Amino acid sequence: MTTDASGSKSSEDKCALAALAADLPSDDRGLAYGEGVFETILVREGRPQLWSWHEARLRRGCQRLGIAAPSAAELAACLAVCQGEGLEVLKLIVTGGSGGRGYRAPESPQARLRARATPFAVNQQARRGITARVCELRVAEQPALAGLKHLNRLENVLARREWSDTTISEGLLLNAQGELIEATSMNLAWYRDGRWFTPCLDRAGVEGTLLAALEAEMTFERVREGLESLARAEQVVVMNSVQGVWPLRTLLKSDGAILCEWKDEAHPALDELNHTIARLLGEPAN
C-alpha cells in the first residue's frame, strides 16, 4: 500500500481495499455452491502467524477445486485490511467467481478474493481446560475434499447447533464407523504411552495449519481410532491456529452424561506442546 505526504492511503489503495470488502454478486459460485476456500489467520501487531502454512493450504485447495489461486502479492496485500495493532483475525476467501451454467464451471473462470479483519482476544480460561461433548452428527467421507478448508461447512454448522450450553466449548466429530475425525472448528490430538496421536484426515476433516506446523517439529501418529482411545489417554487437546491449544478436562456424551474426565494438573507432554505452540504463534515469552 502506498500513502501520500500526509500519511493517507492513495485513491488506488482505497479502491483495492474496497474491492477486498465488496459483497459477492448473487451469481458467485462460492455463494451459490460453496465453490471456494478460506483461511482464518492470527495477526499479531500486524504480522500474520503461520503465514506460509496458510498460503500453502489455500493454494492446495484452489488447485484441487480447479480455481486460480491469488498471487503471493495479492495475498500479502490483504494484510492492509488489518489495523496493525494488538491481536486480529484475518479471514481470506477465494471463490470460483461467476459464470457457468448450473454446476458447470465457466471456460475462463475469474476467481474472487475477499478479506476482512476482526479484533481478537485469547480465551485464557479455555487454555486452562474445557468441557467438550460428542456430537450426534456423523461426518461424511469424501477423499476428493478431505483436508481442504472449503466454503461448504454445513456439517460443522449443524454439529455446532447441537448445543447451546455456554459451559461446553467444543464438540467432537466422528465418521459413520465411529472413528474420531476432529472437533467442530479445531483439530484433535491425545497423548498416551509417551506418544501423541491424531486422527487420519485422508477421507474427511480439515488439515489444520497449526497441526501441520507442529508435525514439522514433533511426531504425531495418524490413526483411525474411536472414543475408547480417549478414555485411555493421559491428555486430550483440541487446537487451531487462532485459538492455540485447549486441553479437555471433561468429555460429555450427546445426552450430557460424563464420558471421560482428565485431571487438571501439570503434564510434561502438555507443557512441551504449549511451549511449542506459543512459539509458533509468536506469543511473547513469559
Side-chain angles (χ1 to χ4, degrees), residues 28-44:
D28 185 90
R29 297 178 66 83
L31 183 63
Y33 310 124
E35 183 181 326
V37 295
F38 72 104
E39 296 290 329
T40 47
I41 303 165
L42 180 66
V43 179
R44 188 183 302 277

Side-chain angles (χ1 to χ4, degrees), residues 33 56 74 76 107 122 131 142 161 181 191 209 225 247 263:
Y33 310 124
E74 289 173 322
E107 293 183 3
V122 174
T131 295
Q142 177 46 267
R161 283 181 179 172
I181 300 297
Y191 187 82
T209 52
E225 296 182 1
K263 294 181 180 179

Side-chain angles (χ1 to χ4, degrees), residues 264-285:
D264 183 8
E265 59 185 23
H267 191 286
L270 181 58
D271 290 342
E272 179 188 11
L273 185 68
N274 275 318
H275 178 77
T276 304
I277 288 177
R279 175 171 52 81
L280 289 171
L281 297 183
E283 296 181 3

Side-chain angles (χ1 to χ4, degrees), residues 40-61:
T40 47
I41 303 165
L42 180 66
V43 179
R44 188 183 302 277
E45 304 295 341
R47 297 185 297 274
Q49 307 301 305
L50 301 178
W51 179 260
S52 62
W53 297 97
H54 285 288
E55 184 176 1
R57 183 174 64 179
L58 183 144
R59 293 190 183 283
R60 286 196 304 271

Side-chain angles (χ1 to χ4, degrees), residues 137 152-162 173 184:
L137 181 138
N152 192 332
R153 310 312 317 175
L154 287 178
E155 289 181 329
N156 306 72
V157 170
L158 291 175
R160 185 57 186 86
R161 283 181 179 172
E162 289 185 18
L173 297 171
T184 63

